[in-house]
Amino acid sequence: MTPIGCARALADFLQQHFDDIKYCPIDEKIATNRLIVRDGFLPKVTSNEEKKKQDPYIVIRPVEITDTDEGSVVKLQLLMMTYSADMEKGHLDLYHMAEIVRQSVEQQTVIDGMYMLQLPVKTLIPEEQPWPEWWAYMELSYTLGRPGASINQYLTQQIEV
């Protein structure tokens, strides 16, 4: 029950959800691309063509962990990115993706039987967009198990995965 374990569990949950609904990007240039949900960071790319091959995606990473007497909470940041050359309606795919995520996490508040969603859920869509890519991010918080005596064994298992 580590912060990156929570991010991985959420990534697996969302990937399964997007696969189940057969999500397909709107822009024909990436319509055959499968939406990828992963924890951590995407591999670095050097060209716009490589970027286009990565879109659409959701990257989930722990950005803050808070331990108190009442328990532990991890704040996750979800970066959502898609591609559309349409300057008028290209943003719609981004809003669609963000709404799918919002609906799914708020309907399934416990992930992997261990991590419980803590409201509020916050979605931010910046005014400045790196056209032809469109991005947003979401902040979610989940409860974690408190660190214990056997955590080193658990961490070793998580790293090996």
Side-chain angles (χ1 to χ4, degrees), residues 6 8 18 20 24 51 55 72 89-90 93 95 106 122 130-131 143-144 153 155:
C6 181
R8 285 180 181 165
F18 276 94
D20 288 349
C24 181
K51 275 186 185 182
D55 289 337
S72 299
K89 297 182 181 176
D93 202 22
Y95 280 95
E106 290 190 33
K122 186 175 181 181
W131 182 88
T143 57
L144 292 176
Q153 180 182 4
L155 288 172

Side-chain angles (χ1 to χ4, degrees), residues 1-8 61-62 64-65 74 76 115 144 155:
M1 295 191 356
T2 64
I4 196 67
C6 181
R8 285 180 181 165
R61 63 179 71 99
E64 184 177 302
I65 298 100
V74 61
L76 300 176
Y115 309 104
L144 292 176
L155 288 172

Side-chain angles (χ1 to χ4, degrees), residues 123-139:
T123 305
L124 298 129
I125 300 161
E127 184 174 344
E128 293 297 319
Q129 294 290 320
W131 182 88
E133 289 184 303
W134 302 85
W135 73 284
Y137 69 93
M138 182 177 286
E139 293 177 354

Side-chain angles (χ1 to χ4, degrees), residues 59-94:
V59 177
I60 304 169
R61 63 179 71 99
V63 293
E64 184 177 302
I65 298 100
T66 305
D67 297 313
T68 66
D69 289 335
E70 288 78 39
S72 299
V73 174
V74 61
K75 182 189 289 184
L76 300 176
Q77 186 177 77
L78 284 70
L79 172 62
M80 297 173 272
M81 182 76 75
T82 193
Y83 175 97
S84 178
D86 185 338
M87 293 180 90
E88 274 189 48
K89 297 182 181 176
H91 63 283
L92 295 177
D93 202 22
L94 176 66

Side-chain angles (χ1 to χ4, degrees), residues 1 5 23 29 33 43 49 53 64 71 73-74 84 87 97 100 105 110 118-119 124 133 138 140 154 161:
M1 295 191 356
Y23 176 82
K29 293 177 183 163
N33 292 7
E49 282 304 309
K53 289 177 185 174
E64 184 177 302
V73 174
V74 61
S84 178
M87 293 180 90
M97 185 186 335
I100 291 169
V105 298
V110 177
Q118 302 295 301
L119 294 176
L124 298 129
E133 289 184 303
M138 182 177 286
L140 304 169
Y154 181 77
V161 173

